[in-house]
Amino acid sequence: MRDTIFCVFSVLTTLVLAIVSLRYVTDFYLLSFFYSFQVHLAAAGAVASVAALLVKRHWYGLLTLAVSVVLAVHGIVMMREFVEPAVEESRPALFRLMSFNIENDNFANGPDIADMVIASGADVVNILEAEPLLSELPRLLKIYPYYIGCGVGMEQCDTLVLSKRPLIEPRIRNLGLLWRNRLTISTIDFDGQKVNFLAAHLTKPYYDEFHGLEVWDLAEVIPTLSGPLVLAGDFNTSILAPDVQYLMRTQGLGTASLEPATWPIHAGAFGIPIDHVLTRAPLRLKSVRRIENGFGSNHFGLMAEFVIDR
């Protein structure tokens, strides 16, 4: 009986570790979902290995435990690679940004989300799957008179960018081949300091190879924009995904020291960050926090503050 239990633990652990380890061999789209959970799955593998060793002491249990620890540690190292230096708390923020995928059928919570946006104090607001806010636009525009999306630049209401300051040369373009109008590009002048804003909504990574094509499009757009830049939105994957790692390395993007988990919402702090706020120097993140109320969405929203290194 002990041998059978040990065998079951070992087989399941081996399968999980093998799937995660394939990231070092191939960026196969059907496995991208698991790559984002590398740290979680490796931790689960370590727990399962310990459980197997408690049932029966065997060298194979020690091997799976060692592999689990290596994968977990390397996952943490990869996440820390893009962390920007901390900003002094006393430094005033240049602006505040909210980014939130509110879920396109979340109409019952549209008024409450609009109330939250108005009270947030954010200078710029990215709303993805924004259809529930279409009816709330008149009162939102009293606080945020400048916007793109939801009838401006696109007929549909998927991506909505609201701003208290004028949007300079706002435009919308497609990402990849699956969805239309999921990238907005604009520039905002903050008292003489211009900042480029990109709001992106990427498809799920296991939808064929569309996610990789969308990342490739972002890698072509970003170099065309000079100066400080922020890329925010729903990537549907963590920065552990190989294609996102490629984007951040090639484009010099940075992130906060600890990205807040935003999905799945029921997992709370034990979820993964698939919604991101990324910056390019000289723009830096002062802080990024999770909006704790999900307002009926399947994502948590993010609120971020920024500074400029002059």
Side-chain angles (χ1 to χ4, degrees):
M1 183 65 178
R2 291 163 64 91
D3 289 343
T4 301
I5 295 174
F6 179 85
C7 183
V8 169
F9 272 117
S10 297
V11 169
L12 293 177
T13 303
T14 300
L15 287 174
V16 170
L17 297 180
I19 289 172
V20 175
S21 299
L22 281 172
R23 67 161 300 132
Y24 302 103
V25 179
T26 178
D27 183 14
F28 184 44
Y29 70 89
L30 285 178
L31 300 178
S32 294
F33 177 80
F34 299 100
Y35 297 160
S36 290
F37 281 94
Q38 176 167 335
V39 175
H40 295 68
L41 293 175
V47 171
S49 298
V50 171
L53 288 169
L54 291 175
V55 174
K56 177 184 177 179
R57 293 187 179 181
H58 192 277
W59 66 266
Y60 193 77
L62 293 173
L63 176 62
T64 57
L65 177 60
V67 173
S68 298
V69 171
V70 169
L71 288 174
V73 170
H74 189 234
I76 294 171
V77 169
M78 286 191 289
M79 289 190 292
R80 299 291 299 175
E81 177 182 348
F82 307 105
V83 171
E84 299 175 331
V87 175
E88 299 83 358
E89 188 64 32
S90 59
R91 286 187 65 179
L94 179 65
F95 65 92
R96 300 179 76 198
L97 167 73
M98 177 193 295
S99 184
F100 194 1
N101 182 333
I102 65 173
E103 199 172 2
N104 56 13
D105 59 355
N106 190 18
F107 293 98
N109 291 286
D112 290 337
I113 295 172
D115 290 340
M116 182 271 295
V117 170
I118 291 170
S120 68
D123 300 284
V124 186
V125 179
N126 296 339
I127 300 292
L128 306 174
E129 300 190 23
E131 188 75 27
L133 286 187
L134 184 58
S135 62
E136 304 297 325
L137 263 182
R139 63 193 187 101
L140 285 169
L141 295 180
K142 293 178 181 178
I143 306 298
Y144 298 95
Y146 307 98
Y147 78 104
I148 185 171
C150 292
V152 175
M154 68 171 84
E155 292 183 5
Q156 60 268 56
C157 197
D158 183 283
T159 304
L160 173 65
V161 178
L162 301 162
S163 175
K164 292 180 177 179
R165 298 173 183 245
L167 299 173
I168 303 171
E169 297 182 356
R171 54 201 184 278
I172 298 173
R173 61 163 290 171
N174 301 332
L175 280 178
L177 303 173
L178 186 59
W179 304 109
R180 294 180 54 81
N181 301 327
R182 281 199 163 185
L183 175 66
T184 69
I185 307 167
S186 57
T187 304
I188 300 177
D189 190 320
F190 293 96
D191 301 324
Q193 177 61 66
K194 292 183 178 180
V195 178
N196 297 299
F197 283 84
L198 280 75
H201 188 186
L202 279 66
T203 193
K204 293 176 175 59
Y206 43 83
Y207 281 11
D208 208 321
E209 297 185 357
F210 292 112
H211 192 277
L213 294 174
E214 292 168 351
V215 169
W216 185 266
D217 282 350
L218 284 173
E220 289 185 336
V221 169
I222 291 173
T224 67
L225 305 169
S226 60
L229 179 144
V230 55
L231 167 61
D234 176 9
F235 282 47
N236 271 305
T237 186
S238 80
I239 61 172
L240 286 174
D243 55 0
V244 180
Q245 293 251 314
Y246 160 80
L247 177 70
M248 297 186 72
R249 288 195 185 102
T250 58
Q251 304 307 315
L253 300 176
T255 186
S257 59
L258 181 61
E259 284 194 296
T262 59
W263 181 90
I265 198 162
H266 296 297
F270 295 99
I272 59 172
I274 65 172
D275 301 87
H276 304 285
V277 179
L278 311 175
T279 59
R280 185 181 67 188
L283 189 68
R284 275 206 290 153
L285 275 162
K286 180 181 179 182
S287 66
V288 58
R289 64 174 178 84
R290 188 172 68 185
I291 300 170
E292 292 301 332
N293 191 336
F295 293 95
S297 174
N298 58 353
H299 293 244
F300 285 110
L302 297 173
M303 182 72 75
E305 293 184 318
F306 304 81
V307 298
I308 285 281
D309 289 334
R310 300 187 183 280

